[in-house]
Amino acid sequence: MASQPDRRPSPAARYLVVFAIGLVVGVVAAVMLLRALQARQDPFPGALMHVMARQTSELKATAAANRCSASDSVPRLQSLRAMANDLESAFPGLRDDARFAGAASSLRATLDGALAQPPATCAQVTSALEKIGNDCRACHQDFR
């Protein structure tokens, strides 16, 4: 009778299982750490900029669709104006900066002018959008 060779399981399988468990635990720990860091950040500044960008793009879309009556553009301009009131509170670290205050004030003045004489034609909507874009660009060039 021939003796059978000793067949023990390879230790590589155990190492593979331990490696897989370590990988899963590492991924879970990394996700928990990133979520904790994210919870410490204030979402308000980014959210304000996203909503203002969305309102501006919707205003551009109404102009592109040739729907340029005051009833189409005024609600977007009012939303932009209301959000422009919160610029200083969204960026408290820049509140005392003269360039930031000037850019925010300029944006509010542009929006006040557009609301005082609401654009009734697509050319007027486009002109208002250019002025708003210039005010936004002035701030973003300095502080983005």
Side-chain angles (χ1 to χ4, degrees):
M1 204 185 231
S3 72
Q4 299 241 351
D6 191 13
R7 294 199 170 232
R8 284 192 234 167
S10 170
R14 280 183 258 156
Y15 292 137
L16 184 62
V17 169
V18 170
F19 176 75
I21 290 171
L23 191 64
V24 168
V25 169
V27 167
V28 169
V31 168
M32 289 174 58
L33 177 68
L34 290 174
R35 296 291 287 172
L37 291 174
Q38 183 184 23
R40 293 177 135 197
Q41 294 176 349
D42 184 13
F44 183 54
L48 182 69
M49 291 292 107
H50 283 289
V51 174
M52 289 181 79
R54 179 60 185 237
Q55 291 294 330
T56 304
S57 68
E58 290 294 324
L59 195 55
K60 287 178 187 175
T62 60
N66 203 20
R67 293 185 2 230
C68 300
S69 67
S71 62
D72 292 321
S73 60
V74 168
R76 304 284 179 204
L77 293 170
Q78 287 173 333
S79 295
L80 285 168
R81 180 58 178 94
M83 287 179 283
N85 287 337
D86 294 329
L87 287 171
E88 285 86 356
S89 62
F91 300 98
L94 300 174
R95 182 181 308 217
D96 296 330
D97 192 304
R99 294 175 300 160
F100 181 77
S105 178
S106 177
L107 176 62
R108 284 191 288 269
T110 299
L111 291 167
D112 286 340
L115 287 169
Q117 294 180 331
T121 66
C122 288
Q124 291 173 340
V125 170
T126 304
S127 174
L129 279 168
E130 284 179 22
K131 291 175 185 174
I132 292 167
N134 289 338
D135 290 336
C136 291
R137 216 174 351 273
C139 187
H140 284 210
Q141 284 175 348
D142 290 338
F143 299 105
R144 197 165 192 187

